Amino acid sequence: MKKYILGLFAVAVVASCVSNQERAMKSADKNLILKTANDNFAKKKWKNALALYDRLANLVAGTDDFPNVAFNTAYANYYDKNFRLAGNQFKNFAVNFPKDPRAEEAAYMAALCYYEGSMDYNLDQSTTQSAITELQEFLNNYPNSERSKNISTLIDELSYKLEFKAYENARQYFKMGEYKAANVALENVLEDFPSTKLRPQIYDYIIKSRYELATKSVYDLKDERIESALAFTRQIEKEMPNTELAKTALDIREKLEKEKKDFVVVKKQTEAKIAALTERQKKLQAQNDEKTKTEQQMKDQVEAEKKATQIRRDSAAINTPPPAATFKIQR
């Protein structure tokens, strides 16, 4: 019997709540809507509260109730995980009500909303960039705030996400065998994030990329790429002595030294072949030049003989006297 009564009481309470929400949603009474919205907010019924706060926006505009409605609306969206919307609302509150005692809290919550809205590293990171900007802005505006103590930690966390995404993108080039692109992309990560915690992993992929480039290089670039890879092995040993990466660098350097010696032999053989081929081409060219010269001389001789013959003919025509005059006998 007792359970039955409690059940009826619970049903009555729920019915009452639903009735209050419906009544407020249909009402034009600002005070009723505000009270019901605040009750829902206190009971953490975020969606119900938001539905009513949305109705209140125009009703309380320009009144003393507006700041509280705006502040609660932002928090309700935050707890309802509408982080981007909540972030904009908190930021607007901090800008529009700078003298309100809650302005600092609103600015902090705006930055926190952007932080919460940051996407996973493998997705678009524009929200992460925005979050870092907002967090840094709060740090600049409220350097002595108690809330600033964890801001640097949050910024570091978001920065690492950007680092890791850039690192993963560069690593994909290596996996695809695009070693030149991988080397460039990995060096860009170091340039963009000089304090990155991923430096050992990045160095590992850079030296492997350079090794692959050197051993699989075209003839004209092989010397340069071998030297580049060797130089990087020495850089690793200098910056990270007595590490596994330094051991890897030493192992790769030994392979590169052997590759360098082998290439010296190949280079000499190639240069000898090129020299022999060049000499043969010179001889062939000389023979062709001589043949061309002989042919031209013969051609010139023929032309000269033709001219001489023509001159003799012209001279004979000039020296031959005209035939004697003939007279017709008149009949």
Side-chain angles (χ1 to χ4, degrees), residues 68-94:
N68 192 59
V69 168
F71 195 72
N72 284 3
T73 300
Y75 258 116
N77 273 309
Y78 173 77
Y79 288 125
D80 202 38
K81 301 188 184 303
N82 303 316
F83 298 120
R84 178 173 293 187
L85 179 57
N88 290 334
Q89 290 171 340
F90 277 122
K91 188 171 185 178
N92 289 337
F93 184 93

Side-chain angles (χ1 to χ4, degrees), residues 192-205:
D192 294 338
F193 307 98
S195 302
T196 180
K197 298 174 184 177
L198 296 168
R199 186 172 291 272
Q201 294 93 317
I202 293 171
Y203 273 13
D204 184 49
Y205 276 103

Side-chain angles (χ1 to χ4, degrees), residues 284-301:
L284 288 172
Q285 186 63 45
Q287 291 174 357
N288 289 334
D289 290 346
E290 185 63 29
K291 183 180 178 181
T292 302
K293 183 179 178 182
T294 301
E295 290 175 349
Q296 186 62 42
Q297 286 175 345
M298 293 177 66
K299 190 176 180 180
D300 292 345
Q301 185 177 350

Side-chain angles (χ1 to χ4, degrees), residues 241-260:
N242 305 318
T243 63
E244 285 299 318
L245 185 56
K247 292 179 182 178
T248 300
L250 178 60
D251 179 59
I252 287 178
R253 184 159 76 243
E254 290 173 355
K255 293 178 181 178
L256 287 168
E257 291 290 358
K258 182 179 182 305
E259 185 79 16
K260 184 177 180 180

Side-chain angles (χ1 to χ4, degrees), residues 145-162:
S145 171
E146 283 294 314
R147 296 184 175 92
S148 294
K149 291 181 179 179
N150 72 326
I151 293 292
S152 295
T153 302
L154 298 181
I155 291 176
D156 288 344
E157 181 184 332
L158 294 174
S159 296
Y160 180 76
K161 189 184 292 188
L162 296 178

Side-chain angles (χ1 to χ4, degrees), residues 204-215:
D204 184 49
Y205 276 103
I206 287 178
I207 189 55
K208 288 176 180 176
S209 295
R210 292 193 182 187
Y211 172 77
E212 294 292 341
L213 268 177
T215 56

